[in-house]
Amino acid sequence: MVRVRAPAKINLCLHVGGRRDDGYHDLESLVVFADIGDDLTFADAERLSLIVDGPFAGALTGESDNLVLRAVRDVAKLAKRDLHKRITLTKNLPVASGMGGGSADAGATIRAFLLEWPKEEIRLRDFAELAGRLGADVPVCFFGQNCWMLGRGDEITRCEVPELHAVLVNPGVAISTREIFANLQTRTGTESIERPDGFESVDALIEFLQSVTNDLGAPARSLTPVIGDVLNALRAAPGIRLARMTGSGATCFGLFANAQAAQSAAAQIADDHADWWVKTTMLAKADSEEDA
Ligand code: C5P
């Protein structure tokens, strides 16, 4: 049995550049991962199957071709063998929420097979390319570590980021990434942003983050105004250092001075908005352990 975590992906900033010939946009994004996420298990079986459970399983019912199954089929093709597994996906994160979702699950699935793969046969490049074919966010989720994500999402370089006390808030509205990109009116320019290869302190990181933004924030707020309410709720909390939307939304993160401030903010926001999903988390922690 292999067990892997598909952690929530958080874009600390997201700069959208020009539209490319392949229809995608060039991105520059500082990406970190949370210590919460979906969970996957893979057990040997007679045939390939997927069971989805967990608090957000309902949002996936009726989905005929889950990205997890597509990832397994593609890995099987790469391996030139049948991969008969009984897969359980425990959906702890809201779907279509800017935290990776299906891409995080697919990235973790590819990692799961890497754990089982005979080491002498591994060609990481093949796995990374396979990830890129499944979706723009899958390579970064497969990588699963603090990094700059460039190109359409397939160029990844490591970045040192200190651990961050954070609160994640989702107002319960699913968002289509495609629709947000289509609604992107004014591009803040195709110029590249300065990209440090690391941050020595939380202060240095916050100072940098204040000089950049999430370009998808404005189009997402115009389509889903409640995102503005989420940001206001985070910004009103004592000890908040920075609040921003992740990915194409609607989840927003707040960075806090310490764990206590994060916990108090989460409790207050959850109290005021019983229908919102609110979680405290640590972002950018060093590698999480996975069991083979
Ligand atoms: O690859 P994926 O299906 O996850 O992307 C969803 C949508 O987001 C794409 O269809 C595209 O409209 C938009 N997108 C983009 N440029 C990127 C990533 C995603 O335009 N780099």
Side-chain angles (χ1 to χ4, degrees):
M1 167 94 83
V2 173
R3 190 182 298 276
V4 287
R5 163 63 56 92
K9 170 221 67 164
I10 303 296
N11 303 89
L12 292 177
C13 64
L14 178 57
H15 179 261
V16 182
R19 195 155 185 271
R20 303 150 44 110
D21 291 344
D22 61 9
Y24 281 78
H25 293 79
D26 272 320
L27 306 177
E28 291 172 285
S29 180
L30 183 56
V31 176
V32 295
F33 292 87
D35 63 0
I36 56 174
D38 295 339
D39 290 302
L40 289 128
T41 62
F42 298 81
D44 288 332
E46 296 288 307
R47 60 185 188 90
L48 179 62
S49 68
L50 173 68
I51 294 164
V52 187
D53 60 18
F56 291 97
L60 293 184
T61 36
E63 222 186 55
S64 58
D65 202 16
N66 189 289
L67 213 49
V68 167
L69 289 175
R70 284 179 51 201
V72 177
R73 289 194 197 106
D74 285 1
V75 172
K77 251 187 243 162
L78 182 65
K80 295 192 182 67
R81 60 177 145 139
D82 291 332
L83 291 175
H84 293 158
K85 299 282 176 187
R86 184 174 185 273
I87 306 169
T88 311
L89 166 61
T90 304
K91 204 77 203 150
N92 299 313
L93 301 177
V95 302
S97 67
M99 292 187 285
S103 304
D105 299 336
T109 298
I110 304 169
R111 269 207 312 281
F113 285 102
L114 259 190
L115 290 175
E116 281 201 330
W117 210 268
K119 292 290 173 272
E120 63 279 8
E121 280 182 27
I122 288 180
R123 283 194 52 204
L124 265 178
R125 177 193 289 266
D126 293 336
F127 282 84
E129 281 172 9
L130 185 158
R133 284 194 296 274
L134 285 167
D137 268 352
V138 181
V140 78
C141 293
F142 168 55
F143 186 64
Q145 293 172 40
N146 311 329
C147 64
W148 282 104
M149 176 180 98
L150 311 175
R152 58 173 262 176
D154 52 351
E155 294 168 37
I156 289 162
T157 57
R158 258 196 111 108
C159 183
E160 295 296 324
V161 179
E163 292 186 7
L164 301 160
H165 296 283
V167 176
L168 305 179
V169 182
N170 181 279
V173 183
I175 294 223
S176 151
T177 304
R178 186 189 296 266
E179 202 180 333
I180 300 299
F181 271 98
N183 204 40
L184 186 67
Q185 303 276 339
T186 45
R187 203 134 300 128
T188 48
T190 48
E191 268 171 49
S192 181
I193 55 174
E194 177 216 2
R195 295 193 307 269
D197 52 18
F199 300 90
E200 280 183 3
S201 65
V202 174
D203 285 346
L205 174 68
I206 301 267
E207 195 185 331
F208 169 77
L209 291 178
Q210 279 160 348
S211 72
V212 288
T213 180
N214 180 348
D215 286 345
L216 299 181
R221 274 198 307 279
S222 82
L223 284 172
T224 311
V226 70
I227 292 169
D229 301 336
V230 172
L231 289 169
N232 287 339
L234 283 165
R235 286 178 185 143
I240 183 78
R241 303 210 57 194
L242 184 112
R244 183 165 287 163
M245 192 184 85
T246 174
S248 53
T251 306
C252 298
F253 61 90
L255 303 182
F256 284 84
N258 53 55
Q260 205 191 349
Q263 272 153 17
S264 308
Q268 185 65 55
I269 295 170
D271 236 31
D272 293 345
H273 304 275
D275 52 338
W276 289 3
W277 177 86
V278 184
K279 293 278 174 212
T280 52
T281 185
M282 287 299 287
L283 298 180
K285 270 172 100 165
D287 285 355
S288 61
E289 64 301 327
E290 286 179 348
D291 318 323

